[in-house]
Amino acid sequence: MVNFQTQRLTPRIVRINGMFHERMYLVEGSSMAALIDSGSGYGSLLDVVKHLTDKPVFLILTHGHVDHAMGAAEFPIVYMSHKDIRVFLQHSGPAFRRRVIQGMPAAKRLGKKDMLPPADPAHFLDIKGGDSFDLGGIHLDLYDCAGHTPGSIVVLVREERTLLVGDACSNFTFMASQEALAIPLYEENLKKLKLQLAGKFDTVLEAHGTTGDLPAGVIAVSYTHLRAHETGRNLVCRLLLEKKKKKKNKKTKKHKTKKKKKII
């Protein structure tokens, strides 16, 4: 059995808590509503949304990971950066999805029919930084923040001065997966995002955690802190490559020195 919990944060924003600590957000304007992320795809998120609004609803996925995008099949209109389609396909297989929740206490409550089938990403509409949606008195402005995945975005609820960060820049941003960008490149993207959003938000809402709230200065992440995310196989490989490159450079310098002596 799947249970969702809801919490109204403002007259325009409702947080929906999934059973695997996912946080989705329904933003409602005067003419339509948008759901930000769709969770792990267990149980009907659409039924929950229907109890919260009678307006037309479309879905925006902050990225293509298993715990954010697997409930998308219930929604006829889905937006996601096409840069994350490959990631979505890698995460949408039943075996992968079961493996992710294996060992979690909530997984014991699931029935055989609780897992929703994945959406077909061929029907996803592409989005990118600079795109904006008018819900009727409420605007959603999108900003690129590639790093956690190639197509990660954040969503600014303009009139609410509230930023929905997904996993793009939060306490749950991990950078050790194959699809993650190199740390220096991610750092540059964060610096750019910080400049773009300067003075535009007061509240930050994340997609995981016990409260879902973050300090407004979350984007100001130091390079040292980013390095702490770089763990496991990717870090080892990168360090080995750097070591190999240094050795190669030393050999090249020695070779050039010897060659110069011969010429003299």
Side-chain angles (χ1 to χ4, degrees), residues 69-88:
M70 292 304 116
E74 290 194 298
F75 298 87
I77 302 175
V78 180
Y79 290 90
M80 185 186 80
S81 170
H82 284 185
K83 293 178 181 178
D84 266 17
I85 286 182
R86 184 177 179 181
V87 175
F88 178 91

Side-chain angles (χ1 to χ4, degrees), residues 231-247:
T231 58
R233 176 168 55 84
N234 281 16
L235 175 57
V236 173
C237 289
R238 191 164 296 159
L239 290 176
L240 286 172
L241 286 171
E242 288 175 0
K243 188 176 180 181
K244 187 176 180 181
K245 188 176 180 180
K246 286 179 181 178
K247 284 183 177 180

Side-chain angles (χ1 to χ4, degrees), residues 103-220:
M104 293 186 183
K108 297 177 181 179
R109 303 200 305 268
L110 292 175
K112 292 182 179 180
K113 296 182 180 180
D114 285 331
M115 181 190 284
L116 298 177
D120 180 358
H123 300 303
F124 290 178
L125 300 171
D126 194 17
I127 49 175
K128 62 185 182 303
D131 289 342
S132 184
F133 297 91
D134 184 356
L135 306 180
I138 287 289
H139 294 82
L140 304 181
D141 301 324
L142 307 189
Y143 295 83
D144 291 321
C145 188
H148 181 61
T149 67
S152 288
I153 62 156
V154 301
V155 181
L156 176 68
V157 187
R158 192 192 304 171
E159 289 78 8
E160 297 279 307
R161 294 183 59 82
T162 296
L163 189 67
L164 310 178
V165 296
D167 285 347
C169 46
S170 75
N171 294 324
F172 293 86
T173 302
F174 63 89
M175 298 295 295
S177 59
Q178 290 182 340
E179 62 269 15
L181 273 61
I183 296 297
L185 182 56
Y186 175 48
E187 185 187 27
E188 289 305 312
N189 290 339
L190 281 178
K191 289 176 179 177
K192 181 179 178 181
L193 180 65
K194 183 183 177 183
L195 290 174
Q196 290 175 327
L197 287 170
K200 295 182 179 180
F201 67 96
D202 304 310
T203 303
V204 180
L205 301 176
E206 65 176 345
H208 301 285
T210 55
T211 65
D213 302 322
L214 283 169
V218 68
I219 299 173

